Amino acid sequence: MPGAAKRALVGPKRPKRLSELHREHISIGLKNAYAIGNKVAPPGRPAATLQSAPISLVYIYGAFLGDGTAYQNTRAKKASFWYLRFFTGHSAEFAERVIFHLRQLGLRPRVYKHPGSGRSDLVVHVYSKALYDLVTCPLGQIKQAVRNNFIVFLKGFFDAEGNKTTPYFCIENTQQELMEWIHEEMVALSYEPTWSKRLREAPRKPIWRLYLKRTDAADIWERMEEELNGTRSMGNP
């Protein structure tokens, strides 16, 4: 049967998977592309580059580090499986955005109400070992992956951890190293974030907060939306 006729019978091609997208962009494969450090590219292939990492993955990095959890279930009968959960609170808009960007990566997420939350808290759930490997890699590698689109990363992080009820830009997290890096990147973009630290009873970690004054907050909100939606040149003021 001719190739064209055969394709007509089987219908349209399936969406490309996350690993296939990255092999197109980075050419040495999904996991090798993010092994920065001492990783050496195979003979005859170019060194790993993160210049063309998909915007959707950058956003997902931010959303995951803001309020996501990765799991590996090793009790399955046939094989282990890997999955991620994004806790989106009662924001249907945030849940829809996470779902959209996961689908852009060729994944099939689903959403449900968090059991026992007592509220309409929404959780986005997705199975993917490839994505599991990416979001659980060391923070230094994630920095490399998002360095050219930090504002998009920040948008994902803000959607997960930001305070949207005040005229000030406010994000908070218990990971000090992560918050220190975000602070450095914001300063490099000419913003003036203010630090705050709230102690909690042991063994709970303290909460680190970053604030921006009203004028900077208005600018960064607009910039995050524009860069995520592709209406501003990525990485440029």
Side-chain angles (χ1 to χ4, degrees):
M1 180 182 294
K6 185 176 181 180
R7 285 193 295 273
L9 289 177
V10 299
K13 295 181 179 179
R14 63 168 175 78
K16 292 181 180 178
R17 300 182 185 278
L18 181 62
S19 56
E20 293 173 335
L21 284 170
H22 278 268
R23 286 192 182 98
E24 287 184 6
H25 285 287
I26 307 177
S27 80
I28 68 168
L30 182 66
K31 294 179 69 174
N32 289 349
Y34 285 87
I36 309 301
N38 298 322
K39 183 67 181 181
V40 177
R45 295 186 181 182
T49 172
L50 300 174
Q51 300 295 327
S52 55
I55 293 300
S56 288
L57 178 58
V58 176
Y59 178 85
I60 290 301
Y61 268 130
F64 178 82
L65 290 181
D67 203 356
T69 307
Y71 303 86
Q72 179 182 0
N73 189 328
T74 58
R75 294 179 296 176
K77 292 182 180 180
K78 293 184 179 180
S80 299
F81 58 90
W82 295 261
Y83 60 98
L84 298 91
R85 288 176 179 164
F86 298 81
F87 299 91
T88 60
H90 55 276
S91 173
E93 180 182 0
F94 179 32
E96 289 171 359
R97 187 174 287 130
V98 170
I99 289 171
F100 170 80
H101 288 290
L102 288 172
R103 286 176 175 169
Q104 290 294 102
L105 297 172
L107 302 177
R108 297 180 178 180
R110 62 186 180 91
V111 63
Y112 61 89
K113 291 185 178 180
H114 193 284
S117 65
R119 302 184 300 169
S120 57
D121 288 355
L122 300 173
V123 179
V124 177
H125 182 110
V126 66
Y127 290 96
S128 173
K129 184 179 186 303
L131 188 58
Y132 176 96
D133 289 342
L134 288 173
V135 299
T136 57
C137 70
L139 179 60
Q141 295 180 20
I142 296 177
K143 292 178 185 179
Q144 293 284 347
V146 307
R147 59 185 175 183
N148 292 330
N149 294 304
F150 172 76
I151 289 293
V152 175
F153 169 88
L154 187 62
K155 172 60 176 171
F157 191 84
F158 179 82
D159 284 349
E161 291 282 52
N163 187 338
K164 308 173 184 62
T165 61
T166 71
Y168 300 94
F169 177 94
C170 175
I171 53 176
E172 59 184 27
N173 197 275
T174 59
Q175 300 180 63
Q176 182 178 354
E177 182 184 0
L178 172 63
M179 294 296 283
E180 287 176 346
W181 167 64
I182 292 175
H183 178 271
E184 293 173 0
E185 292 293 330
M186 293 177 71
V187 170
L189 293 170
S190 300
Y191 295 111
E192 299 179 358
T194 302
W195 272 107
S196 174
K197 177 183 178 182
R198 181 164 67 88
L199 298 175
R200 301 188 295 176
E201 292 186 7
R204 303 178 73 188
K205 296 180 180 180
I207 295 177
W208 299 87
R209 290 175 175 166
L210 286 176
Y211 297 88
L212 282 179
K213 58 185 180 181
R214 294 190 181 194
T215 53
D216 279 347
D219 179 79
I220 202 167
W221 279 327
E222 179 181 2
R223 185 171 183 179
M224 288 190 302
E225 291 292 341
E226 288 179 348
E227 293 203 7
L228 180 62
N229 296 325
T231 56
R232 183 196 292 245
S233 176
M234 298 298 171
N236 294 326

